[in-house]
Amino acid sequence: MTYWVNFKRYMRLNYLRLLRVKDQPEALARGIAFGFASGFGPFIGFGVFAAWAFAALFRGNRLAAVITALLFKWAIPLFVTSNIFVGSLIWGESVNFHGGHHHLFTLEFWRQTGAVFLTGSAIDSVAAYFLAYFPILQWAQRRRAQRRVGKRVLQHHLE
């Protein structure tokens, strides 16, 4: 199988897992939002654990946070780029990569862009949380209402 087919299957599997999570709409929305926002955080390599911890701390659904964090692992290079861009706008500095081969795990990267990256990460994480929370909350509330209607219709037909 090709990489693209495997990627689509992985995404669909995790999406279906998210659909099966049963919890209050607010807790589900908090968990998904923390999972999404953890990709923007400075938790390089530990985003899944950070999503779980924040969801546990703020009474979100931990399973939804972990699934969402795994679902958005592919986008981490985009999130890191966004963090550096936003941080450089705030600090008024342009980030210059010598030859374009900087790695996040080198001391040189953190010397050059540490404050810029962390500032952008903080802003992007908070923005990502709120951009995800409210639409997911509305979706979860509609889903819950539809399930209730479906149960009532089923009970009515069984009587």
Side-chain angles (χ1 to χ4, degrees):
M1 288 205 188
T2 65
Y3 176 76
W4 182 246
V5 171
N6 288 337
F7 177 73
K8 287 188 336 187
R9 284 184 174 184
Y10 172 78
M11 297 294 278
R12 178 151 173 79
L13 171 69
N14 283 312
Y15 171 72
L16 292 173
R17 284 181 180 164
L18 270 178
L19 288 179
R20 286 189 213 122
V21 173
K22 293 180 182 169
D23 203 348
Q24 297 295 319
E26 294 81 12
L28 187 62
R30 275 193 298 269
I32 292 172
F34 279 125
F36 179 62
S38 71
F40 286 97
F43 319 109
I44 300 163
F46 298 102
V48 174
F49 301 112
W52 184 89
F54 279 113
L57 184 65
F58 292 102
R59 295 185 179 148
N61 188 296
R62 291 172 290 221
L63 179 61
V66 169
I67 291 171
T68 306
L70 290 172
L71 196 62
F72 283 98
K73 279 287 190 196
W74 64 271
I76 287 179
L78 301 173
F79 295 161
V80 168
T81 304
S82 174
N83 291 346
I84 292 171
F85 177 75
V86 169
S88 65
L89 287 177
I90 298 299
W91 283 91
E93 298 178 10
S94 65
V95 176
N96 188 7
F97 294 113
H98 305 290
H101 296 302
H102 263 312
H103 298 286
L104 294 173
F105 299 108
T106 62
L107 187 60
E108 182 60 32
F109 172 83
W110 289 103
R111 268 194 224 139
Q112 184 180 10
T113 63
V116 170
F117 178 78
L118 292 175
T119 302
S121 175
I123 293 168
D124 284 348
S125 294
V126 171
Y129 176 84
F130 286 110
L131 285 173
Y133 177 77
F134 293 108
I136 295 296
L137 179 62
Q138 288 180 347
W139 167 79
Q141 288 170 339
R142 277 194 317 267
R143 186 177 132 206
R144 186 176 188 190
Q146 287 172 349
R147 282 184 176 177
R148 285 183 177 172
V149 169
K151 285 181 182 179
R152 286 186 197 140
V153 169
L154 183 61
Q155 278 181 337
H156 179 64
H157 286 308
L158 292 175
E159 293 174 352

